[in-house]
PDB file of all heavy atoms in Angstrom:
ATOM      1  N   ASP A 328     109.394 -17.945  31.534  1.00  0.00           N
ATOM      2  CA  ASP A 328     109.944 -19.109  32.231  1.00  0.00           C
ATOM      3  C   ASP A 328     111.464 -19.060  32.138  1.00  0.00           C
ATOM      4  O   ASP A 328     112.017 -18.785  31.075  1.00  0.00           O
ATOM      5  CB  ASP A 328     109.422 -20.396  31.576  1.00  0.00           C
ATOM      6  CG  ASP A 328     107.908 -20.496  31.673  1.00  0.00           C
ATOM      7  OD1 ASP A 328     107.412 -20.558  32.808  1.00  0.00           O
ATOM      8  OD2 ASP A 328     107.228 -20.483  30.630  1.00  0.00           O
ATOM      9  N   ARG A 384     105.263 -13.855  40.019  1.00  0.00           N
ATOM     10  CA  ARG A 384     104.082 -13.672  39.164  1.00  0.00           C
ATOM     11  C   ARG A 384     103.047 -12.924  39.992  1.00  0.00           C
ATOM     12  O   ARG A 384     103.196 -12.774  41.201  1.00  0.00           O
ATOM     13  CB  ARG A 384     103.510 -14.974  38.613  1.00  0.00           C
ATOM     14  CG  ARG A 384     104.516 -15.785  37.797  1.00  0.00           C
ATOM     15  CD  ARG A 384     103.826 -16.954  37.103  1.00  0.00           C
ATOM     16  NE  ARG A 384     104.753 -17.875  36.503  1.00  0.00           N
ATOM     17  CZ  ARG A 384     105.175 -17.789  35.242  1.00  0.00           C
ATOM     18  NH1 ARG A 384     104.733 -16.819  34.462  1.00  0.00           N
ATOM     19  NH2 ARG A 384     106.024 -18.667  34.756  1.00  0.00           N
ATOM     20  N   ARG A 444     118.429 -26.897  33.047  1.00  0.00           N
ATOM     21  CA  ARG A 444     117.594 -27.470  34.100  1.00  0.00           C
ATOM     22  C   ARG A 444     117.567 -28.992  34.038  1.00  0.00           C
ATOM     23  O   ARG A 444     117.421 -29.667  35.047  1.00  0.00           O
ATOM     24  CB  ARG A 444     116.149 -26.990  33.960  1.00  0.00           C
ATOM     25  CG  ARG A 444     115.914 -25.669  34.602  1.00  0.00           C
ATOM     26  CD  ARG A 444     114.458 -25.319  34.548  1.00  0.00           C
ATOM     27  NE  ARG A 444     114.284 -23.942  34.991  1.00  0.00           N
ATOM     28  CZ  ARG A 444     113.150 -23.265  34.940  1.00  0.00           C
ATOM     29  NH1 ARG A 444     112.071 -23.836  34.455  1.00  0.00           N
ATOM     30  NH2 ARG A 444     113.081 -22.038  35.374  1.00  0.00           N
ATOM     31  N   LYS A 453     111.991 -28.480  38.282  1.00  0.00           N
ATOM     32  CA  LYS A 453     111.259 -27.377  37.651  1.00  0.00           C
ATOM     33  C   LYS A 453     110.827 -27.710  36.226  1.00  0.00           C
ATOM     34  O   LYS A 453     110.111 -26.921  35.602  1.00  0.00           O
ATOM     35  CB  LYS A 453     112.160 -26.130  37.574  1.00  0.00           C
ATOM     36  CG  LYS A 453     112.382 -25.428  38.884  1.00  0.00           C
ATOM     37  CD  LYS A 453     113.067 -24.095  38.618  1.00  0.00           C
ATOM     38  CE  LYS A 453     113.451 -23.393  39.900  1.00  0.00           C
ATOM     39  NZ  LYS A 453     114.102 -22.122  39.651  1.00  0.00           N
ATOM     40  N   ASN A 455     109.161 -28.545  32.929  1.00  0.00           N
ATOM     41  CA  ASN A 455     107.743 -28.465  32.611  1.00  0.00           C
ATOM     42  C   ASN A 455     107.607 -28.286  31.097  1.00  0.00           C
ATOM     43  O   ASN A 455     108.093 -27.294  30.552  1.00  0.00           O
ATOM     44  CB  ASN A 455     107.156 -27.250  33.368  1.00  0.00           C
ATOM     45  CG  ASN A 455     105.666 -27.136  33.181  1.00  0.00           C
ATOM     46  OD1 ASN A 455     105.078 -27.790  32.317  1.00  0.00           O
ATOM     47  ND2 ASN A 455     105.051 -26.295  33.979  1.00  0.00           N
ATOM     48  N   ASP A 458     106.807 -24.955  29.504  1.00  0.00           N
ATOM     49  CA  ASP A 458     107.785 -23.889  29.272  1.00  0.00           C
ATOM     50  C   ASP A 458     108.173 -23.837  27.786  1.00  0.00           C
ATOM     51  O   ASP A 458     108.395 -22.761  27.228  1.00  0.00           O
ATOM     52  CB  ASP A 458     109.046 -24.110  30.123  1.00  0.00           C
ATOM     53  CG  ASP A 458     108.744 -23.982  31.616  1.00  0.00           C
ATOM     54  OD1 ASP A 458     107.637 -23.536  31.969  1.00  0.00           O
ATOM     55  OD2 ASP A 458     109.626 -24.340  32.425  1.00  0.00           O
TER      56      ASP A 458
HETATM   57 MG1   MG B 618     108.017 -22.221  35.439  1.00  0.00          MG
END
Side-chain angles (χ1 to χ4, degrees):
D328 298 297
R384 302 189 190 268
R444 276 186 189 173
K453 286 190 186 180
N455 184 347
D458 294 349

